Amino acid sequence: MPYTLRNIKEHLEDIGSVFNGAPGLEFRAATKPLELEHSALSYQRVPPGCRFPYGHTHKTQEEVYVVVRGGGRMKVDDEIVELTEWDAVRVAPDTWRGYEAGPDGLEILVIGAPNLGEDPREDVDGQRDWWAD
């Protein structure tokens, strides 16, 4: 088939609990279910006033974060950027990033390229509580 159709909210497992973050943290990885070959996609929902528990960087993957609902802040290396609905932030490889929700929560689509293959952890360096006030 030249296309793959999946409903992100209905067909993809919510793996948010594996991050041991705030109750209600939602994370749905769409890369494998959509059979993406050259890119990656995930949906994430961070509850109001909460921060995603890990910051991370990639060796080779560039990512774009698109705010589809709500808003908040994103820390990119040492800079903090305000996020509002429909903002898009490109983050280059070798750049640390983390994000937190504002009072209305934060829902984002994360698009990455290239696809990291069967073992994406080899490209990622993550740190719990990387963004500490």
Side-chain angles (χ1 to χ4, degrees), residues 55-73:
H56 75 282
T57 186
H58 288 279
K59 294 176 189 170
T60 62
Q61 192 175 62
E62 174 181 66
E63 290 183 316
V64 177
Y65 294 77
V66 181
V67 178
V68 296
R69 187 170 295 134
R73 300 186 315 159

Side-chain angles (χ1 to χ4, degrees), residues 7 10 78 115:
N7 183 293
E10 292 180 20
D78 292 326
N115 182 308

Side-chain angles (χ1 to χ4, degrees), residues 74-92:
M74 183 172 199
K75 185 173 181 184
V76 183
D77 279 339
D78 292 326
E79 188 172 341
I80 296 176
V81 179
E82 295 292 326
L83 301 174
T84 61
E85 199 166 295
W86 296 112
D87 280 347
V89 180
R90 175 200 155 272
V91 181

Side-chain angles (χ1 to χ4, degrees), residues 3-115:
Y3 70 93
T4 308
L5 174 65
R6 298 287 182 269
N7 183 293
I8 290 174
K9 295 288 263 182
E10 292 180 20
H11 299 148
L12 288 110
E13 177 185 8
D14 176 10
I15 58 171
S17 63
V18 303
F19 296 99
N20 295 318
L25 178 68
E26 190 174 350
F27 190 112
R28 296 176 189 268
T31 303
K32 287 183 181 180
L34 283 173
E35 301 171 355
L36 296 175
E37 296 176 5
H38 304 288
S39 59
L41 176 68
S42 69
Y43 163 81
Q44 299 171 39
R45 184 178 64 80
V46 182
C50 294
R51 184 174 287 162
F52 195 86
Y54 287 86
H56 75 282
T57 186
H58 288 279
K59 294 176 189 170
T60 62
Q61 192 175 62
E62 174 181 66
E63 290 183 316
V64 177
Y65 294 77
V66 181
V67 178
V68 296
R69 187 170 295 134
R73 300 186 315 159
M74 183 172 199
K75 185 173 181 184
V76 183
D77 279 339
D78 292 326
E79 188 172 341
I80 296 176
V81 179
E82 295 292 326
L83 301 174
T84 61
E85 199 166 295
W86 296 112
D87 280 347
V89 180
R90 175 200 155 272
V91 181
D94 293 320
T95 305
W96 280 87
R97 79 281 322 250
Y99 34 92
E100 67 182 8
D104 296 325
L106 176 65
E107 292 185 51
I108 56 176
L109 291 175
V110 183
I111 303 135
N115 182 308

